[in-house]
Amino acid sequence: MSDTMHLTLTDRIEEPGNIIRLRFARADGAALPPVTPGAHLDIHLSDGPLDLWRQYSLCSDCSQTDHYEIGVLRDPKSRGGSEAVHRLAQPGTVFKVEGPRNHFLLDETASRTVLLGGGIGITPMLAMAQRLHALGRDFTLHYCTRSAEITAFRQLIAAAPWADRVVFHFDDQPDAQRLDLARDLPPPAPGTRLYVCGPQGFMDWVITTAEAAGHQTANVHREYFSADVDTTGTSFEVIAKRSGLTVTVGPDDTIAKALARAGVKIEVKCEEGVCGTCVTDVLDGTPDHRDKFLTEDEREEGTMICACCSRACTKTLVLDL
């Protein structure tokens, strides 16, 4: 488990499109734990009855150790996390932070890399672009937004030495300027890697199209910020083998909540199956995977489950808890 830190917000930069760029540092200025491109922070949001953990990708240069930087979209359709960040994130505020963790690792040995960021999904791509440039690697960054006027980080990108590697795509522009996957994706090749992050619809479109074009699943890397997940279904039983407990997970319940009521706590943060915090080993039974975190190979193995949202295909699941 990652160590807990208390970091001070030193800068708040307003970006277009209801996005804020936030910079965190230690109060004493000491170096922060090292990070790799694609890493994220778990940030605790506490304000009255609000008690949430949310994950935000680092967009800063990973070679810098004096600060971390993230970008946060204010999304009124979210479950309260982004609104809380925009309200609470004032310079001088101290936040409880865990991480960094990385489930979106950059393959630095790839012969060609294509980064595809939709909206706020650009944040991990910025860190990857900086690293690939420093390594002298061949890469292109496609950045898709609704319009130029609400495109965050444009000034940061314009000042970057890798600005010529960035292709902007705006929805309100002619078709030739929009992202065209038939044109903009490279041919499949063993040394070519694709990285995609953004809204679920954008990601599903890119991933499905890339794999249909012949890109191997293992070469198409993805990270979901959020997901539309249906956690409901038929009741089933969960046996927590080490704890010697059996619980019933009802139609509108989740494994994590049912076990918590019985005294078996599974750490949960995103509640949408995107962060991997709640992944638990399965000893017997068949999971009904609802998450966006596990790979297809991991799903087929059936030895792990995201307890915050996934269910069971069998009447009973035995977990290593």
Side-chain angles (χ1 to χ4, degrees):
M1 183 176 175
S2 302
D3 291 337
T4 298
M5 299 177 285
H6 290 86
L7 302 182
T8 301
L9 181 67
T10 60
D11 295 280
R12 171 179 173 142
I13 302 166
E14 303 289 338
E15 294 277 355
N18 285 323
I19 290 173
I20 50 175
R21 185 150 44 105
L22 305 177
R23 181 172 291 185
F24 298 90
R26 293 190 190 275
D28 60 2
L32 292 163
V35 297
T36 51
H40 69 267
L41 299 176
D42 296 332
I43 298 181
H44 186 231
L45 303 172
S46 178
D47 183 28
L50 184 75
D51 184 14
L52 300 173
W53 283 94
R54 289 295 179 262
Q55 295 73 40
Y56 298 101
S57 292
L58 290 160
C59 59
S60 46
D61 186 341
C62 292
S63 67
Q64 298 174 334
T65 61
D66 63 328
H67 70 275
Y68 293 144
E69 197 166 279
I70 63 172
V72 182
L73 167 69
R74 184 177 186 180
D75 182 2
K77 297 179 182 179
S78 74
R79 292 169 297 129
S82 70
E83 293 278 3
V85 173
H86 277 249
R87 183 175 68 254
L88 300 173
Q90 302 300 327
T93 303
V94 176
F95 286 86
K96 182 179 177 182
V97 176
E98 289 185 358
R101 296 192 294 162
N102 198 338
H103 304 303
F104 195 37
L105 287 167
L106 176 66
D107 182 351
E108 298 181 352
T109 68
S111 57
R112 186 176 187 186
T113 301
V114 176
L115 311 172
L116 300 111
I120 193 60
I122 191 64
T123 49
M125 305 305 175
L126 296 174
M128 290 183 177
Q130 293 173 94
R131 178 61 177 164
L132 291 167
H133 173 76
L135 294 172
R137 299 297 188 191
D138 179 13
F139 77 95
T140 303
L141 168 54
H142 293 277
Y143 183 10
C144 305
T145 68
R146 296 191 183 280
S147 69
E149 290 71 25
I150 60 169
T151 298
F153 307 105
R154 288 190 74 185
Q155 291 184 347
L156 183 152
I157 292 170
W162 38 268
D164 60 340
R165 301 293 189 98
V166 181
V167 182
F168 290 94
H169 304 278
F170 307 125
D171 290 347
D172 63 355
Q173 295 299 308
D175 289 348
Q177 207 273 329
R178 299 179 188 175
L179 181 67
D180 180 345
L181 294 177
R183 175 196 66 203
D184 297 325
L185 288 182
T192 296
R193 299 287 184 271
L194 309 180
Y195 294 81
V196 56
C197 187
Q200 183 173 345
F202 169 80
M203 293 186 62
D204 291 345
W205 170 55
V206 173
I207 293 165
T208 300
T209 304
E211 292 181 349
H215 290 273
Q216 296 298 311
T217 299
N219 291 350
V220 183
H221 307 270
R222 74 286 312 263
E223 182 169 70
Y224 287 85
F225 280 158
S226 63
D228 296 324
V229 58
D230 178 9
T231 64
T232 63
T234 306
S235 297
F236 60 97
E237 288 192 337
V238 168
I239 298 173
K241 187 169 183 180
R242 285 189 284 113
S243 301
L245 291 173
T246 299
V247 299
T248 298
V249 180
D252 297 311
D253 211 352
T254 67
I255 294 172
K257 289 178 181 177
L259 285 170
R261 289 195 298 270
V264 180
K265 183 173 176 57
I266 298 175
E267 187 175 10
V268 172
K269 287 183 177 174
C270 74
E271 301 177 272
E272 295 180 328
V274 297
C275 77
T277 302
C278 66
V279 170
T280 304
D281 290 337
V282 177
L283 301 178
D284 194 24
T286 304
D288 176 7
H289 296 292
R290 308 286 183 91
D291 66 281
K292 292 289 187 179
F293 178 78
L294 297 177
T295 66
E296 287 304 316
D297 288 344
E298 289 169 336
R299 289 176 178 225
E300 290 177 9
E301 288 174 1
T303 59
M304 293 183 287
I305 190 169
C306 286
C308 74
C309 64
S310 294
R311 301 185 67 82
C313 295
T314 47
K315 290 183 179 180
T316 303
L317 274 183
V318 182
L319 304 182
D320 186 20
L321 292 167

